[in-house]
Amino acid sequence: MKKRLLAALLSAAMVVTMFAGCGTPGSKKSDDSSETEGTGKKRVTYTLREDIPSADPQNSNSISSASANIHMLACLTRNVEGEVRGDAAESWKVSDDGLVYTFHLRDGLKWSDGVDVTADDFVYGMQRLMDPAEACDYAFIGYILKNGAAVNNGEVSVEELGVKALDDKTVEITLEHPAVYFESMASMCALGPARRDLVEKYGKEYAADPEKAAYNGPFTMTEWKHGDQLVMTKNPDYWDADSVKLDEICIKTVADAKTAVAMWENGEVDITIVPTEMTEQYADDSEFYFTGADDYIMLNQSEGKPLANKNLRFALNYAINRSEYNTLVNNDVYEPAQRLVLPNVTAADSTYGERYPYEPFPLENDDAKAKEYLAAAMSELGVSNAADIKLELLTTDTEGAKKQAEVLQEQFQKNLGITVEIKQVTYKQRLEMEQTKEYDMVVTGWVPDYSDAYSYLELWISDGQYNHSGYNNPRYDELLEASQFETDAAKRQDMLFEAEQIFLGEDSALVPLQLRREQYLVNPKLENFNVYFVGYDFNLVYADLAE
């Protein structure tokens, strides 16, 4: 099996396992495992533990939704393992000052219902993303567009957003500031096209079912049994359809990871994650790669919440044993994290981690410091008994999430003596509760939208659309804003690193947990299965199944 993997997340010394064929598990797969029964069609099926929250491109705020949408949507560009290619746009040019991008669409682009794709569809998609009436949770990503923040805050109309159609085939985008990574951002579904007529017809139900949207990408959605499976079928009208070899992609929702592995063994699915407790069993038959996800405990610092107290936040960071957590929860498959920004994103002249090594918190708990900070917090909160500090830990309702939460609960209660209660909800509910700040602590994470430290740091701007923690530091905001206008690459990165130091070293604004590394079982017939740490988990657009 030939498969390209891009998994150099930490350093070249971390080797990603690649294999030419499967052993015992692969040998159990039937010849029908990669075909829809009785049709001879090439179908690849992969599993997710939760149903994707949304297929609406402007309202997709999870990596599972983004990974699905890259198969159904042709944005202006396409990111294939870090290589930015033209997709709906055949070519583009950038003004000398780096502010204006002019994209020229290909001839003959069609939606799946036969309607022509035009520049207006892209303009409308971006306007919709930023329209405050739509309340798109991912609107913050559009702040890079000229007047993006002003539009989203209701200060000016959506017509004043820095995007317009010069004609049916030309999209002109003006930015607030130069951004060398914007060509990669143009591949994001949030900045992709949308059909005004269908949005107006279906409203909040747009893309909630196959018939409630149209598709201009390599595949179209043809079935979505919510909580069970989503099926995408090859789109013959996609401009590059000749390069698409698969007939169908099926996303199966399988909450229990061990059940998913059994399905892989039986030839029912082609790609699934190995639960960490089964790592050794499948070590020789699977592939490991870093996904780019940086997991952490987000802390609600809103006024009136216990974690608005900085000393309590520091107590949590020193009380946790990240090494033990990784062993108990992930069987040492993941990498313990001590910072926010992923080390492998691009810096001015190297990787960010090489340029700015940083370990603000220890891998193992420091009980003396933890109790020192806790004593200060108790004094400030007017609490005499640590157990009277009660924090709710929000997480999803999978078995893996439950195990994660129980380890954290045990560490915090043992090392600090505080009371931690676990609240488990569905993935969709968790996202909604994050947005409305109905939590104290929540296990969550982030995958970068582009290879730059700013992709992590912009989340926490005080008035940022995606700041669900209530974090607010004027100096942090100043550095993030100044970095966007600094033309010296090295000075800009210095600003971003200073911001990260403020966020963690001065404010202890979240609890870093882990850099996620997944272990995948993959059908040995699957070729050109691409993974990348920016914007999506994996890409099956150009995958194929060997005969």
Side-chain angles (χ1 to χ4, degrees):
M1 169 183 174
K2 296 179 180 178
K3 174 182 172 186
R4 297 173 57 211
L5 290 175
L6 181 58
L9 179 61
L10 298 177
S11 71
M14 292 186 174
V15 179
V16 176
T17 303
M18 304 180 71
F19 64 102
C22 283
T24 304
S27 66
K28 296 182 182 178
K29 297 180 75 64
S30 69
D31 290 339
D32 293 333
S33 64
S34 56
E35 297 181 351
T36 52
E37 187 174 356
T39 67
K41 291 181 178 179
K42 292 182 178 180
R43 171 190 273 205
V44 168
T45 299
Y46 69 87
T47 67
L48 293 177
R49 295 183 189 177
E50 299 98 359
D51 197 6
I52 69 170
S54 175
D56 180 339
Q58 278 75 49
N59 282 294
S60 294
N61 63 351
S62 72
I63 194 64
S64 59
S65 291
S67 295
N69 269 313
I70 67 167
H71 296 89
M72 298 185 287
L73 203 66
C75 296
L76 292 169
T77 64
R78 181 168 291 276
N79 184 340
V80 182
E81 292 189 328
E83 176 190 352
V84 178
R85 307 175 183 176
D87 199 358
E90 185 173 34
S91 63
W92 60 90
K93 63 180 181 179
V94 186
S95 62
D96 291 341
D97 61 7
L99 291 176
V100 181
Y101 285 71
T102 305
F103 292 90
H104 302 283
L105 302 186
R106 299 176 189 276
D107 292 330
L109 296 177
K110 296 283 186 182
W111 289 98
S112 54
D113 60 359
V115 174
D116 290 339
V117 176
T118 69
D120 283 327
D121 295 324
F122 288 89
V123 171
Y124 174 66
M126 293 183 218
Q127 289 179 339
R128 178 175 181 250
L129 173 70
M130 304 312 296
D131 188 343
E134 292 286 340
C136 295
D137 193 47
Y138 223 66
F140 78 95
I141 204 73
Y143 283 20
I144 194 172
L145 305 175
K146 187 170 182 60
N147 292 328
V151 169
N152 194 237
N153 292 330
E155 298 168 9
V156 300
S157 69
V158 293
E159 287 75 23
E160 294 186 58
L161 187 67
V163 55
K164 60 184 177 181
L166 300 184
D167 54 46
D168 283 349
K169 291 182 56 183
T170 311
V171 182
E172 182 184 87
I173 298 175
T174 303
L175 307 183
E176 278 284 347
H177 52 79
V180 294
Y181 47 81
F182 183 71
E183 291 176 358
S184 177
M185 289 184 68
S187 70
M188 297 173 59
C189 61
L191 298 175
R195 282 278 293 278
R196 184 189 297 269
D197 58 331
L198 297 179
V199 172
E200 291 176 349
K201 180 178 181 179
Y202 295 111
K204 294 296 184 183
E205 289 294 303
Y206 178 64
D209 295 293
E211 68 277 7
K212 294 178 181 177
Y215 315 92
N216 73 325
F219 294 84
T220 66
M221 189 199 303
T222 51
E223 177 187 319
W224 194 358
K225 297 177 181 178
H226 293 272
D228 181 13
Q229 68 177 23
L230 184 154
V231 177
M232 298 177 280
T233 302
K234 180 178 176 178
N235 180 6
D237 293 324
Y238 179 55
W239 71 270
D240 196 25
D242 289 346
S243 299
V244 179
K245 307 303 181 185
L246 298 180
D247 296 301
E248 293 180 341
I249 299 171
C250 177
I251 306 173
K252 291 284 294 182
T253 303
V254 184
D256 183 72
K258 292 182 180 179
T259 299
V261 170
M263 293 172 70
W264 185 87
E265 288 269 18
N266 292 330
E268 299 173 54
V269 301
D270 299 284
I271 308 164
T272 195
I273 296 174
V274 179
T276 54
E277 62 267 29
M278 301 176 75
T279 290
E280 293 183 5
Q281 180 180 345
Y282 288 96
D284 296 331
D285 304 301
S286 52
E287 304 191 15
F288 296 80
Y289 64 87
F290 285 96
T291 67
D294 184 358
D295 295 333
Y296 44 78
I297 306 173
M298 186 162 64
L299 310 175
N300 190 346
Q301 298 152 63
S302 302
E303 185 177 354
K305 289 288 188 177
L307 289 167
N309 185 280
K310 183 191 298 188
N311 283 311
L312 183 56
R313 300 197 301 268
F314 269 107
L316 293 177
N317 258 309
Y318 281 101
I320 189 173
N321 186 323
R322 293 169 174 83
S323 296
E324 180 186 66
Y325 170 86
N326 187 46
T327 299
L328 295 176
V329 173
N330 308 311
N331 200 23
D332 291 324
V333 173
Y334 294 179
E335 187 77 16
Q338 296 167 270
R339 66 187 304 173
L340 171 64
V341 177
L342 282 179
N344 204 53
V345 297
T346 305
D349 52 4
S350 63
T351 66
Y352 186 83
E354 290 171 341
R355 181 69 179 83
Y356 304 104
Y358 184 45
E359 297 179 355
F361 304 115
L363 286 176
E364 299 183 355
N365 52 301
D366 184 330
D367 290 340
K369 279 193 173 183
K371 290 176 180 178
E372 179 183 341
Y373 281 114
L374 178 64
M378 291 172 62
S379 175
E380 292 164 354
L381 294 171
V383 174
S384 57
N385 185 349
D388 290 335
I389 296 179
K390 297 181 181 181
L391 299 176
E392 186 176 81
L393 177 59
L394 175 67
T395 189
T396 57
D397 56 359
T398 65
E399 283 302 310
K402 181 180 179 182
K403 181 178 180 181
Q404 212 176 38
E406 287 175 345
V407 171
L408 293 171
Q409 178 189 51
E410 195 277 336
Q411 287 195 2
F412 287 140
Q413 292 189 159
K414 175 184 176 182
N415 298 335
L416 292 175
I418 64 175
T419 302
V420 175
E421 299 174 350
I422 298 172
K423 182 179 182 65
Q424 288 194 276
V425 298
T426 66
Y427 182 48
K428 186 174 183 178
Q429 286 176 299
R430 195 207 78 189
L431 293 176
E432 292 171 350
M433 293 177 72
E434 287 181 24
Q435 294 166 20
T436 55
K437 298 185 180 68
E438 297 178 63
Y439 71 93
D440 292 323
M441 305 186 290
V442 58
V443 180
T444 185
W446 191 251
V447 177
D449 294 306
Y450 43 89
S451 187
D452 189 90
Y454 193 85
S455 184
Y456 289 90
L457 298 168
E458 70 174 321
L459 304 180
W460 316 106
I461 296 170
S462 60
D463 60 353
Q465 181 76 16
Y466 215 84
N467 183 354
H468 301 321
S469 72
Y471 178 70
N472 187 333
N473 186 306
R475 176 57 181 163
Y476 183 91
D477 292 348
E478 290 172 7
L479 286 166
L480 266 292
E481 181 176 4
S483 75
Q484 295 301 80
F485 297 93
E486 178 55 63
T487 56
D488 184 299
K491 289 181 180 179
R492 176 179 175 274
Q493 291 293 330
D494 287 345
M495 291 176 177
L496 296 178
F497 180 50
E498 183 181 345
E500 184 183 20
Q501 290 174 295
I502 290 172
F503 185 73
L504 293 176
E506 293 185 17
D507 292 333
S508 191
L510 56 71
V511 179
L513 285 179
Q514 63 202 12
L515 303 179
R516 204 179 306 164
R517 189 176 73 148
E518 300 289 15
Q519 180 183 4
Y520 268 76
L521 289 169
V522 182
N523 183 340
K525 295 181 179 180
L526 185 59
E527 299 177 340
N528 202 27
F529 165 49
N530 304 142
V531 300
Y532 189 48
F533 72 90
V534 172
Y536 60 84
D537 273 337
F538 50 79
N539 179 359
L540 290 162
V541 171
Y542 299 112
D544 196 5
L545 287 161
E547 298 296 331

